[in-house]
Amino acid sequence: MLTVITGPMFAGKTSALISMVKANLIAGNEIEAFTPSNDTRYGLEVIASHDGEEINAEVLDKMSPFKSYFIEDMRKTKAVAFFEECQFFNVPSLMLLIKNLLDDGRDVVCAGLPNDSFGEPFGAMPQLLSIADEIISLKAVCSKCKKINKATRTFRKSDSKEQVVVGGKDIYEPRCFDCWRK
């Protein structure tokens, strides 16, 4: 089963993923948690929420997660696999890895931004959402109009035109569609 957690920055995607990891551990399930090599905001080998919650994770090469997963012998046969920041991974390689895990009968949970700050589909998220068995779509409080559970977009406060700029509150804020568009 593939579960995808999605929403803008500061909607609680990572907190939801960490909560699911903890629930699986309480249930006695083996887990594997993965983070992309370019997300070093809170350190290496950790998945961390903006409010300080964290779990240990294996770092997968963002360009070849499929290859790094099998070369590093991280494979646990029935573990539930958790992937953070899926929009940062190379799309074909991540999709190959996740499809292999699903074909092996494994449960997979992925979290990521559905769109970049320009409103465009981001990384593997469109493909993951299209094959998901369950989608958890989260919303945030709009940083401009302050409406609760209305922010579905991520607004970048800098003028950078690059699609990927890894950052936090210093660079990004959640906005509802109307405030994002303006």
Side-chain angles (χ1 to χ4, degrees):
M1 180 171 160
L2 174 60
T3 301
V4 177
I5 304 166
T6 191
M9 291 204 48
F10 311 109
K13 295 179 303 298
T14 302
S15 294
L17 183 113
I18 291 171
S19 178
M20 292 176 80
V21 166
K22 289 178 179 179
N24 273 274
L25 290 172
I26 290 168
N29 296 328
E30 242 186 317
I31 65 109
E32 294 178 316
F34 303 104
T35 186
S37 57
N38 66 329
D39 187 6
T40 58
R41 289 173 293 177
Y42 299 106
L44 296 173
E45 298 182 353
V46 66
I47 292 173
S49 66
H50 296 295
D51 59 5
E53 250 192 312
E54 63 180 45
I55 59 166
N56 292 330
E58 296 289 335
V59 177
L60 291 180
D61 182 333
K62 72 180 184 106
M63 292 310 296
S64 57
F66 180 83
K67 183 178 176 184
S68 63
Y69 177 80
F70 287 101
I71 287 177
E72 297 297 324
D73 197 27
M74 295 183 231
R75 189 174 185 169
K76 296 178 184 173
T77 55
K78 293 298 174 195
V80 180
F82 293 87
F83 293 86
E84 172 70 334
E85 303 292 0
C86 288
Q87 73 277 359
F88 290 154
F89 287 109
N90 172 276
V91 176
S93 186
L94 180 66
M95 294 307 296
L96 181 62
L97 174 53
I98 289 173
K99 286 179 181 181
N100 271 271
L101 294 172
L102 293 169
D103 287 347
D104 283 348
R106 306 262 302 270
D107 287 335
V108 177
V109 180
C110 294
L113 296 168
N115 304 86
D116 62 19
S117 59
F118 305 108
E120 297 299 321
F122 204 175
M125 290 304 291
Q127 291 90 330
L128 291 169
L129 288 164
S130 74
I131 64 168
D133 298 295
E134 178 181 20
I135 297 171
I136 301 169
S137 185
L138 302 174
K139 296 176 183 135
V141 175
C142 178
S143 63
K144 285 292 185 192
C145 69
K146 305 298 183 195
K147 290 182 181 171
I148 297 171
N149 287 328
K150 293 296 180 184
T152 58
R153 302 290 176 133
T154 300
F155 178 80
R156 184 183 298 160
K157 298 186 267 185
S158 75
D159 291 333
S160 174
K161 300 297 180 204
E162 294 177 59
Q163 184 180 43
V164 176
V165 178
V166 178
K169 291 181 181 180
D170 56 326
I171 300 174
Y172 296 102
E173 61 188 25
R175 290 193 180 179
C176 68
F177 182 75
D178 287 339
C179 292
W180 172 81
R181 187 171 43 133
K182 294 175 189 169

